Amino acid sequence: MTETPAASDAATDAERAAMRHGLDLAARGPLTGGNPQVGCVLLDAGGRTVAEGWHRGAGTPHAEIDALAKLPRPSDARGLTAVVTLEPCNHTGRTGPCSEALLAAGISRVVYAVSDPGEVSRGGGERLREAGVEVVGGVLAEEAEQRLEGWLTAVRRGRPWVTVKWASSLDGRAAAADGTSRWITGAAARQRVHEQRAEHDAILVGTETALADDPSLTARGDAGELLAHQPVPVVLGERRIPADARLHAHPAGVIETGSRDLRAALEALHARGIRRVYVEGGPTVASAFLAAGLADELVVYLAPVLLGGGRLALGELGIPTISDALHLEVRAIEHLGEDLMLLARPRKKA
């Protein structure tokens, strides 16, 4: 989505600058928890910033409310312009509707970047217009879409954003001939994995991995300490894990799908408020997500070692000929000690 000419013409330079700052404010909020990252800047008639705020996670004040609360007096909001990175919500959840809060405060103009796609929460812009507030949408929409891509994708598709991760040797092997795989990559790469786990709502493995490895699937720091956010572990498959499995002691609990149906599992996770899933389930599960077209992002850790043999990091993808290859767009490359991390996304078909 790009900014429409109407939005470009209707927004002032000060509002566009405030929107860019609002996007930076939004990034201070958590990626996890089911809610979007949102920033808000309040401007006076001269285009000067008088207050700003951002959303700090589910159950906390939304960005608009956070910004309004920073004014010296509630009456100071009258006549101000609210610049918000996402259309103000129009529903009551853990907090009240931001559209009504802006109306009650006396905000006279609202500028936002992206329309809220939620079936329940959308409509705040129209509510404000009906009440006589001047509303401009679509300002810096493309930048906001990129910042909110994971959350927007989850809400629009009704299933979480899926990151598929694997680690392999340079020749694409996930393990040696005898099945050993600890550790293909070094300490820096393994720590980066823990940081990425903490950026997701859930971490998914298959029953084969859960039964064979008995993993803890926690997100840990350099010293082995638990990080502040712990993704809930999800075990995909029909078999149950044993009562004494380490996953039952996970601080976030554990979810067992009882099915190998990927789409059904993702929809069920979405219904629980899970918007970001980190798939770490080994070659079988990783291949299944890719073959089904359900991988939004790939994180591949490459170690400068050669293993040979048949323990490939990926299995069958249903690609019979080279012309059907799944083409990727590499978004980032990181050096982590001697290892490399590649962040890539499937190319969109024309």
Side-chain angles (χ1 to χ4, degrees):
M1 180 185 293
T2 57
E3 184 176 354
T4 64
S8 179
D9 294 341
T12 67
D13 289 342
E15 289 167 348
R16 291 166 64 85
M19 186 67 78
R20 288 195 175 90
H21 181 54
L23 290 170
D24 291 336
L25 291 172
R28 299 182 186 181
L31 281 168
T32 58
N35 285 12
Q37 295 174 301
V38 183
C40 175
V41 179
L42 300 180
L43 304 177
D44 64 15
R48 293 176 291 270
T49 298
V50 295
E52 59 188 39
W54 67 93
H55 184 48
R56 291 167 172 79
T60 66
H62 288 191
E64 299 93 322
I65 311 304
D66 187 44
L68 289 170
K70 293 175 181 175
L71 294 170
R73 298 177 301 274
S75 59
D76 292 342
R78 192 158 299 280
L80 296 182
T81 294
V83 179
V84 196
T85 58
L86 182 68
E87 178 187 15
C89 69
N90 196 44
H91 83 299
T92 299
R94 296 186 187 181
T95 59
C98 291
S99 56
E100 298 298 336
L102 293 172
L103 285 175
I107 295 292
S108 62
R109 178 175 165 90
V110 172
V111 177
Y112 68 85
V114 180
S115 297
D116 190 330
E119 291 186 12
V120 177
S121 55
R122 64 189 175 196
E126 187 59 32
R127 171 71 183 99
L128 290 162
R129 287 190 188 94
E130 291 173 351
V133 175
E134 189 176 1
V135 178
V136 179
V139 176
L140 300 188
E142 186 172 0
E143 292 181 32
E145 285 268 346
Q146 292 174 355
R147 300 282 192 100
L148 279 173
E149 185 175 16
W151 183 83
L152 289 170
T153 298
V155 175
R156 289 167 178 165
R157 295 181 181 175
R159 57 104 171 147
W161 174 269
V162 174
T163 299
V164 176
K165 167 262 175 184
W166 70 81
S168 74
S169 61
L170 203 57
D171 56 345
R173 268 61 183 181
D178 64 356
T180 56
S181 61
R182 296 186 179 182
W183 296 101
I184 289 178
T185 55
R190 296 197 299 273
Q191 185 54 44
R192 189 73 175 92
V193 170
H194 283 283
E195 294 167 1
Q196 290 172 341
R197 286 180 177 183
E199 294 172 351
H200 290 76
D201 296 305
I203 177 168
L204 184 147
V205 299
T207 51
E208 184 176 342
T209 295
L211 294 172
D213 298 346
D214 191 23
S216 62
L217 298 186
T218 51
R220 301 183 297 278
D222 289 329
E225 76 281 9
L226 293 178
L227 297 180
H229 171 72
Q230 292 296 317
V232 60
V234 178
V235 180
L236 178 76
E238 298 171 350
R239 288 178 292 172
R240 305 283 296 183
I241 59 175
D244 60 351
R246 289 202 292 173
L247 286 178
H248 287 299
H250 195 284
V254 61
I255 297 172
E256 297 181 72
T257 67
S259 167
R260 290 179 290 179
D261 188 323
L262 299 185
R263 293 184 186 277
L266 290 178
E267 289 172 3
L269 293 176
H270 186 273
R272 289 174 175 256
I274 291 172
R275 299 292 179 264
R276 296 171 62 87
V277 172
Y278 195 65
V279 176
E280 257 194 279
T284 300
V285 171
S287 302
F289 273 93
L290 284 163
L294 293 173
D296 298 301
E297 186 172 71
L298 306 180
V299 176
V300 181
Y301 289 88
L302 291 176
V305 298
L306 301 175
L307 292 174
R311 302 271 184 169
L312 295 173
L314 286 180
E316 180 60 51
L317 296 180
I319 298 174
T321 182
I322 191 66
S323 61
D324 293 332
L326 176 60
H327 291 273
L328 305 175
E329 177 184 350
V330 177
R331 294 292 188 93
I333 300 175
E334 290 184 26
H335 286 263
L336 298 163
E338 294 184 345
D339 305 316
L340 290 178
M341 187 205 77
L342 277 69
L343 178 68
R345 293 183 183 175
R347 288 190 181 275
K348 296 179 181 179
K349 296 181 180 179

